[in-house]
Amino acid sequence: MFFEIHKDIPREGPGNNESTRRAFHMLTDLTVHPHVLDVGCGPGMQTKELANLTDGTITALDRHAPFLQKLDAWIAENGLTKKIKTVQGDMFDLPFEEQSMDLIWSEGAIYIIGFERGLRGWRKLLKPRGYLVLVVSELTWLKEERPSEIEAFWMENYPGIKSAVANEGIAEHAGYQLINHFTLPEAGWWEYYRPLEQRVEMLREQFPGQVNMLDALDETQREIELYKKYSAYYGYTFYILQRQDRE
Ligand SMILES: C[S@@+](CC[C@H](N)C(=O)[O-])C[C@H]1O[C@@H](n2cnc3c(N)ncnc32)[C@H](O)[C@@H]1O
């Protein structure tokens, strides 16, 4: 049901190309031909933007084959088979050699493994000595005090949600230095929610009597309505982190 709702939308999470570019340009000392790993790439919106930004190579990994098939078709159409390859795999057990990546990129997907576990587990794939960077966007509280309705919603749906300060502490303990961070603008949420809202409307007409589907559609719509009401209280934050190694 989840994949029926999320099929054929350009993004599977909040984001926009402008923010992908903004984060990438913060990697001032990245090598010229980096090897980039995009974890939880989904339909690949940020993968495509990364391909515009770098002269390096990109491995785009996701668990869900239909997303990868679509991305593969786009890669072939655009003559980028030497530059981007897709891998069906699991972010809990990434099938790559230690110290093989210059940059790990993950937009809106690290919540699946958890911020801290992802940071700790993926670190070994990064090459050592400071030039190598991990970028993640992560659901983050923007204010200390929150209305109880939205606090309860995210505690139920993503209890790992924290403030940026708390996440910075976790990153430091996991062996990274925070290079920069910024909050995704609201427009980035609407790049995801607008097509999703249209799809919810379409599916309501398509599945009028199916209680389970209608419940799932109501839940999706509720998340969108809560964002309209409480967008000042939470957002997606890009954390630009650099692997630190003791001398
Ligand atoms: C919220 S979507 C974000 C996708 C994309 N980065 C974007 O912003 O459009 C999370 C993605 O993680 C993928 N995923 C879920 N569990 C996974 C796992 N264990 N390993 C790898 N990918 C996974 C899903 O298939 C989905 O494409």
Side-chain angles (χ1 to χ4, degrees), residues 3 10-14 38-46 61-64 67 89-92 106-109 111-112 236:
F3 285 116
R11 283 188 176 277
E12 285 298 324
D38 184 1
V39 181
C41 62
M45 198 64 140
Q46 72 291 315
L61 176 136
D62 203 279
R63 203 180 54 173
H64 188 54
F67 289 151
D90 185 2
M91 68 169 78
F92 287 80
S106 183
E107 287 199 29
Y111 74 92
I112 291 157
Y236 259 33

Side-chain angles (χ1 to χ4, degrees), residues 213-229:
M213 176 55 96
L214 291 176
D215 282 351
L217 293 174
D218 283 348
E219 226 169 89
T220 306
Q221 189 62 43
R222 174 151 189 256
E223 182 187 318
I224 299 173
E225 294 307 323
L226 285 172
Y227 186 71
K228 287 180 188 164
K229 207 165 158 189

Side-chain angles (χ1 to χ4, degrees), residues 16 25 27 55 64 104 180:
N16 61 13
H25 290 309
L27 314 179
D55 286 333
H64 188 54
I104 298 177
N180 218 325

Side-chain angles (χ1 to χ4, degrees), residues 78-96:
N78 288 276
L80 292 171
T81 48
K82 289 213 170 85
K83 183 165 185 166
I84 312 174
K85 79 172 175 155
T86 62
V87 171
Q88 188 177 12
D90 185 2
M91 68 169 78
F92 287 80
D93 186 18
L94 290 171
F96 307 107

